[in-house]
Every structure is written in C-alpha cells, then in structure tokens.
C-alpha cells in the first residue's frame, strides 16, 4: 500500500485572544519564535513531510498569512539592488517553488471541525494533513512529526493523530484518546473525546495538532453538531470516523511546545535561541544574567 499525502490544511482563522493585546494587530500565527513566524515552522514541517499543496483556512479580516506567502516585489527589488543576497533568499524561500498555497475563507468562527470542512472543495477525495501552527514540534536532527506520521500512513493506510502524555489536571485542554494498545509508537484508537474533565477522561493521552485524515472525515464533519464549547469539533467527527476506518494514535519523536500559551511560547523561544548557531552562547549568558539578577534582587 502506498498512500500519498500531498495536501496540508492550516486552520488560521482564530482570534488569538490568549495573546491580546499583541494579537489586536498581529495574527497569532505571525508571532515569531526568534526570527521566524509560527506559521513558517508549520509550513516547513508540511513541506518536509512531502506536501506540495498548502491550504490556509482564514477569515475575511485576517490577511497577514496571505500577505506573508505572497511575493514581495518591492522588498525583493530593494534587497537585490542593495546586494543583500542572503536576505533575498530568505524572503523568496518562505515556500519552495514547487509548493502552491491556497486560501479558503471560513465565513463564521464555528470551530476547528468547521474550519477543516471549509477546505473540502480543495482537498477533494484524498488523504490530507491538518497542522495546528500553535503546536510547534521540534525534532532537532530527525524527520518532522508530520513526516513521521505520513510515512506511517503511506505504509499502513488509515488515519493518524499525534498524541502525547499530559498531566491528569490538563485533560480539559485537549482531545483525549483511549488506545487499544501500543506497538512501539502506534496504537489504534478506541475512543476520543474533546476536553474531558480529569474525572471523565479515558486516559491522559492528549491530541497534539497534527492529523493525517482520510477524506471520509468530511462526511462525518457534515453531520457533526456543535459539541464542547458550542463549536463543531474535529474530535467529534474523528469519533465517528474510527467506527468504520482505523484511526491510530501516533507518539511522535520530538518536543512539542504549546505556543498558544504564554509559557509554551517562552519555552519555545528559549529552546530555539539556545539552538541557534549565532545566538546560543549569548542567549545562554543572557538567561544566566537574568536569573542571577532576579536572585540578587530577591535578597
Ligand atoms: C484543538 C483540538 C484538541 C487538540 C488541540 C491540540 O484544541 O480541538 O482536540 O488536543 O487542538 O492543540 P484547541 O487548542 O484549538 O482548543
């Protein structure tokens, strides 16, 4: 069996309320970790996984993501005449030439499931990926998380959802899965529920924002009524999909940062700064200095 996953959907219509007031003007996907916006990390991961069609589900007020991937003629011209070749390459290569970007509007903020459904006319009848750019996954020297999942689906078919263990008090922030049993990194999902209270959660295995889904998910999304938080939940459609087709939980290799939260965003910034060739020594020294000064001022 060889299944090819060519299309990746990026739901980017959210308001980013957790990062207000910054997100009053700047789309949350454009917030940078060191020098690159969150959306760039997500796009790089999709391209590395082999996707060549990137579908952004946005809303009619949010143009930043489309602008970011558009050609910047004036800027490119200025960099070119100034002989700034390295910067020019950076600006030109936000997406490689063989990759196309498509923008779809989500007319109303009805939830993640609804956002994915808005991409149906572009995805059509083939398996596809969903990436939530808030979840930044760092796998320093290995294949990206989506690439690992795509490889699994290419060989075995079905759908795959990234999971990782969270502490019991955090189940209310995630989709939570119950898995039959794991064979290495993969286990068939028996049930999935959106944001259960700890006492109702079937496990502490949480869904992370990477999915490879069969196209049948769209039929289920069409029939999904508002669930947790009054929103049309992708999780609820997956709960139906797994009744007639295998859906596997995938424990990816890599570290995931929840960049939708302040702490996760700061953690990602620290990690990427410490791992940056030009910055690492001075970033480490700056962190030490900050810790020392805070400790001294506490006395
Ligand atoms: C969404 C999904 C949830 C998943 C999470 C991962 O929730 O609905 O199942 O666990 O992403 O980040 P959100 O973070 O949009 O509330």
């Amino acid at each position: 069996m060889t299944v090819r996953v060519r299309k990746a959907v990026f739901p980017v219509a959210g308001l980013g309320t957790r990062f207000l007031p910054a997100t009053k003007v700047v789309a949350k996907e454009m917030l940078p970790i060191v020098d690159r916006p969150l959306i760039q990390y997500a796009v790089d991961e999709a391209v590395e996984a082999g996707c060549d069609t990137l579908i952004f589900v946005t809303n009619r007020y949010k143009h930043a993501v489309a602008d970011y991937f558009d050609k910047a003629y004036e800027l490119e011209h200025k960099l070119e005449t100034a002989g700034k070749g390295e910067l020019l390459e950076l600006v030109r290569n936000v997406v490689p030439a063989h990759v196309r970007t498509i923008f779809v509007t989500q007319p109303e903020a009805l939830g993640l499931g609804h956002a994915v459904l808005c991409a149906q006319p572009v995805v059509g009848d083939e398996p596809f990926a969903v990436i939530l750019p808030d979840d930044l996954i760092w796998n320093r020297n290995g294949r990206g998380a989506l690439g690992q999942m795509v490889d699994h689906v290419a060989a075995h078919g079905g759908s795959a959802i990234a999971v990782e263990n969270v502490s019991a008090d955090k189940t209310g922030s995630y989709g939570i899965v119950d898995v039959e049993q794991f064979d290495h990194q993969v286990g068939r999902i028996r049930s999935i529920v959106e944001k259960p209270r700890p006492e109702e959660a079937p496990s502490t295995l949480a869904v992370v924002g990477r999915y490879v889904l069969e196209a049948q998910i769209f039929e289920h999304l069409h029939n999904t009524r508002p669930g947790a938080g009054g929103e049309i939940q992708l999780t609820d459609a997956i709960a139906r999909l797994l009744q007639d087709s295998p859906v596997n939980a995938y424990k990816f290799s890599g570290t995931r940062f929840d960049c939708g939260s302040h702490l996760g965003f700061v953690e990602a910034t620290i990690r990427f700064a410490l791992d940056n060739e030009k910055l690492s020594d001075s970033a480490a020294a700056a962190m030490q200095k900050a810790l020392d000064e805070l400790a001294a001022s506490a006395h």
Side-chain angles (χ1 to χ4, degrees):
M1 180 182 303
T2 11
V3 179
R4 179 100 211 272
V5 179
R6 296 188 311 121
K7 296 176 179 169
V9 175
F10 301 82
V12 292
L15 292 177
T17 46
R18 279 191 278 178
F19 278 86
L20 281 170
T23 45
K24 206 177 147 200
V25 180
V26 182
K28 68 172 173 170
E29 296 79 15
M30 298 311 301
L31 296 175
I33 301 294
V34 183
D35 55 353
R36 296 182 324 141
L38 277 174
I39 193 69
Q40 183 73 62
Y41 293 94
V43 159
D44 289 351
E45 192 181 323
V47 171
E48 191 247 1
C51 297
D52 61 12
T53 304
L54 312 181
I55 304 156
F56 300 91
V57 181
T58 182
N59 68 39
R60 65 183 169 283
Y61 306 109
K62 223 167 135 175
H63 304 288
V65 177
D67 290 347
Y68 180 74
F69 290 107
D70 204 358
K71 198 167 169 61
Y73 289 103
E74 222 180 298
L75 176 64
E76 289 186 21
H77 179 70
K78 277 191 182 151
L79 292 172
E80 201 162 9
T81 41
K84 303 205 161 159
E86 219 175 289
L87 289 178
L88 184 62
E89 280 313 291
L90 268 183
V91 170
R92 278 193 180 148
N93 291 332
V94 288
V95 274
H98 74 281
V99 174
R100 56 183 186 153
T101 54
I102 297 173
F103 293 84
V104 173
T105 302
Q106 183 183 19
E108 277 181 275
L110 298 178
L112 177 59
H114 179 253
V116 172
L117 186 55
C118 291
Q120 182 183 18
V122 186
V123 172
D125 192 23
E126 54 183 290
F128 65 102
V130 176
I131 295 196
L132 309 186
D134 277 3
D135 282 326
L136 173 51
I137 304 181
W138 184 76
N139 192 26
R140 193 167 196 269
N141 296 316
R143 187 133 163 87
L146 185 68
Q148 299 165 37
M149 295 163 66
V150 160
D151 290 348
H152 173 80
V153 168
H156 303 281
S159 299
I161 299 177
V163 297
E164 77 175 7
N165 242 314
V166 295
S167 57
D169 60 318
K170 292 272 171 11
T171 60
S173 303
Y174 297 100
I176 300 290
V177 297
D178 179 25
V179 171
E180 282 174 14
Q181 75 182 70
F182 274 97
D183 182 5
H184 300 287
Q185 291 169 288
V186 186
R188 188 159 172 169
I189 299 178
R190 203 172 5 218
S191 66
I192 182 167
V193 49
E194 182 69 8
K195 305 197 170 104
R197 288 198 299 250
E199 59 277 20
E200 283 157 8
S203 78
T204 53
L205 265 185
V207 173
V208 168
R210 301 290 183 276
Y211 309 74
V212 179
L213 297 168
E214 293 187 277
Q216 290 108 286
I217 192 72
F218 291 124
E219 283 164 42
H220 298 297
L221 282 169
H222 274 294
N223 297 323
T224 299
R225 301 283 135 245
E231 299 194 330
I232 296 175
Q233 296 291 351
L234 181 57
T235 296
D236 294 343
I238 293 170
R240 293 182 186 205
L241 177 68
L242 58 82
Q243 287 169 12
D244 41 55
S245 184
V247 181
N248 289 303
Y250 193 95
K251 286 184 185 167
F252 54 93
S253 306
T255 309
R256 170 245 182 194
F257 300 98
D258 175 8
C259 293
S261 77
H262 294 173
L263 180 61
F265 193 90
V266 171
E267 281 177 334
T269 304
I270 291 173
R271 187 71 66 94
F272 279 80
L274 290 176
D275 193 44
N276 181 300
E277 231 177 275
K278 292 183 192 150
L279 270 182
S280 65
D281 290 348
S282 39
M287 284 171 211
Q288 194 55 57
K289 184 165 174 263
L291 289 171
D292 292 346
E293 285 179 7
L294 281 172
S297 69
H299 291 133

